[in-house]
Amino acid sequence: MKILLVKLSSLGDVVHALPVVHDIHAALPGARIDWVVEKSFAPLLVRCKGLHRVIPCEIRRWRKSFWTAATRNEWRTFKSELQREAYDAVIDLQGLTKSALVARLATLAPGGKRYALANQTEGSGYEAPTRWVADVAIAMQPHIHAVQRSRELAARALGYNLQTQPDFGLKVAVAQQGRVQAAPEKIANSTSKGRVVLVHGTSRADKEWPLDHWITLGRRLVAAGYPVALAHGNAHELTTSQAIAQALTKTAADTVLVLPLLPLDALTEALAQCAGVIGVDSGVSHIAVALNLPHVQIYNFGTAWRTGPVMGGHGARQVGVFARPAPTVETVWQAWLACWAVSSPASAGEVT
């Protein structure tokens, strides 16, 4: 059976849909699964076990220059690649006009069908064309986690029942319980605890955590024996990383590392080599969830139930913390200690 998944963007949304690949293979051994995604996120999907083909597109860029010859040529190339295979099922996991267009352009095998969402769920984007294009539009309960929504849509489209907790299926060299065994020298650390990556960058300014909070948290981590690494994805985020590092290196220069600007696949590999992640609601934080790292996700909005760690909660390895206008450093710190204790019981007595 040949199946095409359509989930173009954004990074966090793509991560949330990853378990669908494992679910399909568990229910339908031998299925061949392709996935259409924005080119910038394709390196992550290349690391997803069970994908036959990743088909990159650049719809975000193309719609800004649709009148140019270069864009028209690129669109024709993408369309040719998309229509190279005929699919028994095309599943639009996104529910937007752009994903509906891709689903419509894909070629169906005889008897094949297009599936999509029939309605909007709480906090998600939704546009009517996805329903018009589909042969089968599937109604979802309005209050549903983003990961579960994709899983249930695919399961109901293909006629199987979900049996397990989500498996994100990322292929990386990650040691047991997030510990470093043979890590890159700049990420690996000789301490028993390993580096904690701080992910302060997000696409929305109103999701950011205050700079002084990051500095205070970093000092607590360093004092407790957790070296810190700072991630960034653009020049603005680099400036923030450097500001945090400058504040921390006044007393602990050897324990603070500003990561270089890394492509998505290399960043995923770097995260996998670290002891855990503390970050805001962002695509990179969601990768940490997919890697099953000890993780605290910081929310200024009450949306952790929808996009936060799936198994998050008291006593969990991963947890989302929420407060307005922002969670306190103490709240985040205590959440980190709890996540670390669950992940590494032998080390729990070492923290204070």
Side-chain angles (χ1 to χ4, degrees):
M1 186 176 192
K2 294 182 180 180
I3 300 164
L4 179 68
L5 302 179
V6 182
K7 187 76 166 188
L8 307 177
S9 60
S10 60
L11 177 56
D13 293 337
V14 171
V15 174
H16 287 146
L18 287 175
V20 170
V21 177
H22 176 268
D23 291 344
I24 293 173
H25 280 298
L28 304 170
R32 281 179 46 174
I33 307 171
D34 296 349
W35 189 321
V36 186
V37 71
E38 281 281 342
K39 183 178 179 180
S40 57
F41 308 132
L44 181 71
L45 289 188
V46 170
R47 292 183 174 275
C48 180
K49 291 182 290 186
L51 278 180
H52 172 252
R53 191 164 60 118
V54 177
I55 306 171
C57 66
E58 293 190 85
I59 291 177
R60 285 177 166 179
R61 181 173 64 83
W62 291 336
R63 65 187 180 189
K64 297 177 182 178
S65 58
F66 63 88
W67 61 88
T68 66
T71 294
R72 291 197 298 272
N73 287 335
E74 290 172 8
W75 173 257
R76 283 192 290 268
T77 299
F78 162 69
K79 186 177 175 181
S80 175
E81 184 68 13
L82 174 65
Q83 296 176 338
R84 197 177 80 190
E85 303 273 359
Y87 295 99
D88 301 292
V90 176
I91 307 176
D92 178 359
L93 297 172
Q94 192 148 17
L96 299 178
T97 300
K98 61 183 180 180
S99 58
L101 172 63
V102 171
R104 180 66 183 84
L105 288 174
T107 303
L108 291 180
K113 292 183 178 180
R114 297 180 176 88
Y115 301 87
L117 295 160
N119 59 290
Q120 184 175 21
T121 58
E122 290 181 31
S124 68
Y126 184 79
E127 294 169 345
T130 191
R131 183 172 62 248
W132 302 338
V133 165
D135 298 301
V136 180
I138 298 172
M140 307 297 293
Q141 64 189 70
H143 190 84
I144 189 170
H145 192 283
V147 172
Q148 191 66 12
R149 184 180 74 162
S150 290
R151 297 183 74 203
E152 285 194 14
L153 177 59
R156 291 170 61 184
L158 300 176
Y160 60 83
N161 295 319
L162 296 175
Q163 302 291 340
T164 63
Q165 294 298 327
D167 184 336
F168 291 84
L170 287 181
K171 298 179 291 186
V172 290
V174 58
Q176 288 187 350
Q177 297 188 3
R179 292 307 189 82
V180 175
Q181 290 181 340
E185 62 177 271
K186 287 190 176 182
I187 300 298
N189 190 276
S190 61
T191 70
S192 62
K193 295 172 183 174
R195 289 195 185 272
V196 176
V197 177
L198 302 184
V199 178
H200 56 79
T202 175
S203 60
R204 286 176 46 180
D206 57 357
K207 290 185 177 181
E208 293 176 353
W209 204 41
L211 178 61
D212 62 330
H213 285 26
W214 284 114
I215 293 170
T216 301
L217 177 65
R219 286 170 176 162
R220 286 198 180 189
L221 287 165
V222 169
Y226 301 94
V228 168
L230 295 154
H232 64 276
N234 54 48
H236 171 71
E237 293 174 8
L238 173 59
T239 298
T240 302
S241 288
Q242 292 171 334
I244 297 169
Q246 184 177 13
L248 298 182
T249 53
K250 291 178 180 178
T251 56
D254 294 336
T255 60
V256 181
L257 171 68
V258 176
L259 295 174
L261 181 60
L262 298 170
L264 193 54
D265 53 346
L267 178 59
T268 301
E269 192 74 42
L271 291 177
Q273 304 299 337
C274 293
V277 175
I278 301 174
V280 293
D281 177 17
S282 71
V284 177
S285 280
H286 296 307
I287 292 175
V289 174
L291 291 170
N292 196 31
L293 293 168
H295 180 41
V296 179
Q297 203 164 79
I298 301 168
Y299 282 84
N300 301 340
F301 296 90
T303 55
W305 69 266
R306 182 172 60 84
T307 60
V310 178
M311 300 299 291
H314 181 71
R317 181 182 177 89
Q318 302 173 332
V319 64
V321 295
F322 158 68
R324 297 295 302 266
T328 66
V329 174
E330 182 63 23
T331 299
V332 173
W333 175 244
Q334 292 301 325
W336 167 253
L337 294 184
C339 291
W340 179 260
V342 171
S343 306
S344 182
S347 299
E350 301 173 8
V351 297
T352 57

